[in-house]
Amino acid sequence: MTTPLRSRSTTRAPVKVQAPGKINIHLGVGGATAEGYHELATVFQALNLGETLTLIPGGTGSIIVQGRYADSAVPADETNLARRAIDLLIAALEDERDVDVLRGIDIVIDKQVPVAGGMGGGSADAAAALVGAAHLVGGVAEDVLHDCAVAVGADVAFLLRGGTAVGHGRGERLSPVLTRGTFHWVMATSARQLPTPDVYARFDELNPDPAPAEIPAGVLTALAAGDPDALAASAANDLTEAAVSFMPEIAEVMEAGRAAGALLPLLSGSGPTIGFLARDARHALDLAVLLQATRGVNEALRATGPAPGAQVVDIVG
């Protein structure tokens, strides 16, 4: 049974938390601000392909990364996003709360979201860490968690809440989106990684004077109607050209997916993972089989959205 998201428990037992991955159903990118961030107009959807973290109080501050996508690229020090999230929460609360339970906490990350693939795996880790830490200290105000999430990264704030939402600014100014039914995706991963800063820098080179970012009305209408065909006609990702300039095989995989019957190939975030929109579960299964045999595809993973945000799923012991 799932524990409420912002529990008032004061348990010191280890806590297990799940958080979803995500796809940007639409990603409009505007110009860079003085701080170096780009103005975004995006529609996030949380996917049921997610991460699981176990927070163990009274430890030595270690981070253990395991699971399908355990990777040496995932840091096991203070730069890990889950650790950064907990450190930020300690700083936000320590003047008014007893946060000793969070000091030296061990973090076990079961990675089920591809690393550096544009699906927000690291952000999911941070969201899960915030929710688990909030549980351990007996509950934290939503605005405090939101501020800590944004300080880690813009996607983290969305993954705290999950579902489907519009994001503006860096993606941290969120508004829920009415979504009917379930959308079926096949996420085609790559054996290669594509650093997000590089993709945005190339976007700037290709678009020296970009138009203001916006979300087509058709995207929101299609989500409200639960209509994947209409969504396929409206959604896009402005980073696609930049990502393809680094990895031409992205375009080849997209074309292969279209040829296999996908309604829409959509770069996930800054890539290189590609989300292929399917009509239903059976269509997604057929697509996954065909894409798994496609050159340039490492794995073809079926996922559905919208999924819940970060939530405590178990109290261990």
Side-chain angles (χ1 to χ4, degrees), residues 20 36 63 82 88 107 116 136 172 188 210-211 222 231 234 242 269 281-282 302 315:
I63 299 175
L88 284 165
I107 305 172
L136 288 169
E172 82 282 6
L231 183 61
S234 302
R282 178 57 186 269
R302 286 181 291 156
I315 309 301

Side-chain angles (χ1 to χ4, degrees), residues 18-25 27 42 44-53 69 74 80-82 85 109-129 149 152-162 187 189 194-196 200 237 267-275 301 308-310:
Q18 290 180 344
K22 60 85 182 173
I23 186 168
N24 296 78
I25 289 178
L27 180 56
T42 188
F44 295 108
Q45 184 162 91
L47 302 177
N48 67 343
L49 187 66
E51 306 274 84
T52 301
L53 266 67
Y69 295 106
V74 180
N80 182 279
L81 296 188
I109 303 174
D110 181 13
K111 288 209 70 66
Q112 298 298 321
V113 175
V115 177
M119 291 182 63
S123 295
D125 294 342
V152 178
D155 293 350
V156 182
F158 167 69
L159 295 174
L160 281 175
R161 65 166 67 190
M187 309 304 293
T189 71
L194 194 52
T196 296
Y200 275 97
N237 184 328
L267 190 72
S268 181
S270 59
T273 299
I274 304 165
L301 309 170

